Amino acid sequence: MEQLPIIEMAEIGKYITTSDHYQHVFSVSDVDASLITDNTVNKEYTEPVRLNALFMLLVLEGTAHVRLDFVSYTLTPNMFLTIMPTHIFQIAEAGKNFKARLIVLDRNFLEGINTEKRSPAMSNYLLLRKNPCTEFSPEEAKYVHRSIGVLRDKIRMRNHSFHKEVLQNAFVGFMLELANLMIGKSDQLVRPTLTRKEELFNLFLQLLIKNVKQEHHVSYYAAQLFITPQYLSLILKELSGKSANKWIDEALLVEAKILLKSPQMTIQQVADELNFSDQSTFGKFFKKQVGLSPMEYRRS
């Protein structure tokens, strides 16, 4: 698992029991939280990571709490979680009895699958992007579990002359099986009607994810939403309990931590990437939020 192109997900590695993979770009693994011997994952959210792979998880037992692009999800048995490449992911808590089946596809392997944009498989991919957490019935979950088993069997066909092509076709088939299940859940997957405040909150989060590296001020986001900074802060405080400035600081901190994990970048380069006026200003911001300087954080 550690050789897969998702080395940012070191925390996940703690949970892996057995894993079958194809050239470290496509894997099916068993996840078991009972392997954790300490309580660090239960204290607070783990460090944020940006995945460089497609991550699909079927929950078999227990409960876990995660965050995806700053939105919290509670995972319980029969739930299916999909995390697309580049999404920001954090683990909050995983019960000792948490078990799941995990599929991981390298981004390049995924993009190499010849699937037309209008095909059912691609349509389902886009549907899953909008609905990352889906709850299946026990019968549906068993069917998905068996379908994942088929993928694992295909991965183990190492002597097949067309192993890669077989795997690509198997994954398209898996996506079609998911699409078939999703069709019966269309009512559940349609985004509920949002109030005006909820709609603005949702739009703010989209803007934040896209622009926080360059835009650190509430006024920018308010202007994009054609409302005042005061009203934006009021909405966010009312719906999330956090002010606009708090949302921006937390999102900016996520980006800073991700960049600081890249050893090839200097602290100055990280400060420049995040549009701070200088390294000193970035250092003060980071230490205020984390209690460590950027260098101390990198060394830790």
Side-chain angles (χ1 to χ4, degrees):
M1 184 67 181
E2 66 276 4
Q3 296 185 56
L4 284 168
I6 51 169
I7 56 174
E8 301 95 330
M9 292 179 58
E11 285 294 333
I12 297 296
K14 293 180 180 180
Y15 297 85
I16 299 301
T17 52
T18 59
S19 179
D20 291 280
H21 64 83
Y22 167 74
Q23 296 184 1
H24 304 297
V25 295
F26 184 5
S27 74
V28 174
S29 306
D30 296 313
V31 177
D32 187 348
S34 66
L35 295 177
I36 297 294
T37 57
D38 56 50
N39 294 319
T40 54
V41 77
N42 294 313
K43 290 182 179 178
E44 55 185 290
Y45 285 112
T46 58
E47 299 299 338
V49 294
R50 178 173 283 113
L51 308 185
N52 192 32
L54 173 66
F55 173 112
M56 307 180 92
L57 187 87
L58 175 65
V59 182
L60 303 178
E61 298 179 25
T63 303
H65 302 279
V66 301
R67 292 183 75 185
L68 178 60
D69 285 346
F70 314 114
V71 178
S72 298
Y73 296 92
T74 298
L75 306 180
T76 56
N78 305 325
M79 282 190 171
F80 191 81
L81 177 70
T82 304
I83 305 174
M84 301 295 180
T86 75
H87 279 182
I88 296 170
F89 177 71
Q90 291 173 277
I91 303 172
E93 180 181 351
K96 289 291 186 179
N97 62 337
F98 181 78
K99 294 182 180 180
R101 185 63 58 83
L102 171 68
I103 302 170
V104 178
L105 284 93
D106 170 70
R107 190 174 183 177
N108 294 324
F109 182 86
L110 183 65
E111 292 174 351
I113 297 176
N114 186 19
T115 305
E116 295 182 3
K117 291 185 177 180
R118 294 184 180 181
S119 73
M122 180 54 68
S123 297
N124 191 50
Y125 183 90
L126 298 175
L127 182 64
L128 288 170
R129 175 179 284 277
K130 294 183 179 180
N131 299 271
C133 195
T134 304
E135 184 172 4
F136 290 126
S137 68
E139 293 75 20
E140 291 169 334
K142 287 179 182 178
Y143 185 76
V144 173
H145 190 258
R146 289 196 297 270
S147 297
I148 297 174
V150 171
L151 289 178
R152 177 168 248 167
D153 290 340
K154 298 295 185 184
I155 289 175
R156 290 171 175 171
M157 297 169 59
R158 307 190 192 284
N159 294 324
H160 198 292
S161 300
F162 306 99
H163 198 192
K164 180 178 180 180
E165 289 75 13
V166 165
L167 288 176
Q168 290 175 329
N169 288 329
F171 181 71
V172 171
F174 175 74
M175 292 297 288
L176 290 172
E177 296 294 350
L178 279 181
N180 183 55
L181 292 176
M182 293 293 187
I183 288 173
K185 297 182 175 296
S186 58
D187 292 341
Q188 300 176 33
L189 298 177
V190 173
R191 182 179 290 277
T193 301
L194 302 179
T195 65
R196 177 57 178 161
K197 289 181 179 179
E198 289 172 336
E199 183 179 353
L200 288 169
F201 183 27
N202 186 50
L203 290 172
F204 167 75
L205 288 179
Q206 294 179 38
L207 286 169
L208 187 66
I209 292 168
K210 183 178 180 180
N211 299 292
V212 73
K213 283 186 178 182
Q214 297 300 315
E215 303 293 344
H216 307 170
H217 301 290
V218 178
S219 57
Y220 168 81
Y221 298 96
Q224 297 299 307
L225 297 171
F226 302 102
I227 58 177
T228 66
Q230 293 79 8
Y231 187 53
L232 176 58
S233 289
L234 180 67
I235 291 172
L236 296 179
K237 190 73 174 179
E238 178 182 326
L239 296 181
S240 70
K242 293 190 292 188
S243 67
N245 280 319
K246 183 66 173 175
W247 272 102
I248 293 169
D249 285 350
E250 289 186 357
L252 191 57
L253 185 62
V254 165
E255 297 294 341
K257 287 181 175 180
I258 290 172
L259 292 174
L260 287 170
K261 288 185 178 181
S262 302
Q264 67 271 22
M265 294 188 72
T266 66
I267 304 299
Q268 180 63 60
Q269 288 173 325
V270 172
D272 292 341
E273 179 74 13
L274 297 177
N275 201 28
F276 281 89
S277 57
D278 52 51
Q279 182 176 331
S280 176
T281 302
F282 168 62
K284 290 177 182 178
F285 163 80
F286 193 88
K287 188 161 187 176
K288 179 180 179 181
Q289 300 294 324
V290 181
L292 300 171
S293 70
M295 185 59 70
E296 288 172 335
Y297 173 79
R298 172 170 279 177
R299 290 171 178 168
S300 68

